Amino acid sequence: MKLIASANFHTAKMRDLEEYERRMREEKANMTEEEQESRAKEHKANMEQMKKQAKELMGTLRIKPRRVNMMRFNIASQRAQSIAARFGLDMRAETTAKCGLLSFFTEDFTSDNLWNDQKEMRQLLKLMRWADSVSIQEADEEREGQLLIELTFRFCKLIGKDRKRYKNLEQLLI
């Protein structure tokens, strides 16, 4: 067979990470005690600055509920039962104060009966559009050999003048 394409991104990333860790160990071993003390003081100063920024952030930002996402999650959890029944999937819907999680487990997601049923497939794709994040991966050891599809709905958002400055902080609300 002729090889068309090949990529080892994970292997290269792991090699780079090991090289970085080795350099850090060597650098720390070659440091004198004075350099280690100065680095510890610098680290402590950075931590104090981060604490000050966190206090400032708590003063300017607030968390507001996203009621539309709550309603979408309720509708999605009801529709998920019919989708799971049609395709023979295991389904689990969980909710917390901050987010809702909709999980589908299956072994044969690429079967012909799945792709031929357009009505139920459109409902699943609509739920995926409503979700804030979609993850398709292998399930854990408990469900070995199965595929896991997770849809996450966030129930709160950040509001305040600095919310765009701390855009990635909203991801921590999950």
Side-chain angles (χ1 to χ4, degrees), residues 6 10 28 63 69 82 90 94 103 109 114 119 124 130-131 136 140 144 150 163 165:
S6 176
H10 180 71
K28 191 171 183 177
I63 297 174
N69 271 13
S82 67
D90 292 342
E94 298 173 304
S103 304
F109 191 68
L114 177 78
K119 180 182 175 191
L124 180 60
W130 282 359
I136 301 174
D140 54 357
E144 189 173 332
E150 285 184 334
R163 76 176 186 273
R165 183 174 159 198

Side-chain angles (χ1 to χ4, degrees), residues 24-52:
M24 292 303 292
R25 282 192 305 267
E26 287 176 359
E27 184 179 316
K28 191 171 183 177
N30 293 335
M31 281 185 170
T32 63
E33 287 187 32
E34 295 169 351
E35 290 175 336
Q36 288 180 354
E37 288 175 10
S38 67
R39 179 140 322 160
K41 287 180 184 177
E42 183 180 314
H43 177 70
K44 189 175 181 179
N46 287 341
M47 291 303 291
E48 290 297 323
Q49 182 181 6
M50 287 176 62
K51 286 180 183 177
K52 190 183 294 184

Side-chain angles (χ1 to χ4, degrees), residues 120-134:
E120 296 291 332
M121 185 52 108
R122 272 188 260 134
Q123 283 189 7
L124 180 60
L125 292 174
K126 187 175 188 177
L127 299 184
M128 288 181 174
R129 278 195 308 267
W130 282 359
D132 290 312
S133 66
V134 177

Side-chain angles (χ1 to χ4, degrees), residues 12-104:
K13 183 173 107 176
M14 295 310 289
R15 247 187 259 129
D16 292 344
L17 186 60
E18 288 172 5
E19 175 66 23
Y20 176 74
E21 288 175 352
R22 185 187 58 77
R23 278 189 283 139
M24 292 303 292
R25 282 192 305 267
E26 287 176 359
E27 184 179 316
K28 191 171 183 177
N30 293 335
M31 281 185 170
T32 63
E33 287 187 32
E34 295 169 351
E35 290 175 336
Q36 288 180 354
E37 288 175 10
S38 67
R39 179 140 322 160
K41 287 180 184 177
E42 183 180 314
H43 177 70
K44 189 175 181 179
N46 287 341
M47 291 303 291
E48 290 297 323
Q49 182 181 6
M50 287 176 62
K51 286 180 183 177
K52 190 183 294 184
Q53 287 177 346
K55 284 183 183 179
E56 175 187 319
L57 178 66
M58 294 303 286
T60 60
L61 295 178
R62 337 175 280 155
I63 297 174
K64 181 181 176 186
R66 298 170 98 182
R67 303 213 190 291
V68 173
N69 271 13
M70 289 179 195
M71 292 184 331
R72 283 182 174 175
F73 177 74
N74 290 335
I75 293 168
S77 61
Q78 292 170 1
R79 288 186 183 171
Q81 290 178 349
S82 67
I83 292 170
R86 172 63 183 99
F87 295 134
L89 309 173
D90 292 342
M91 191 258 336
R92 181 174 61 203
E94 298 173 304
T95 184
T96 64
K98 296 178 182 177
C99 71
L101 183 67
L102 197 58
S103 304
F104 295 101

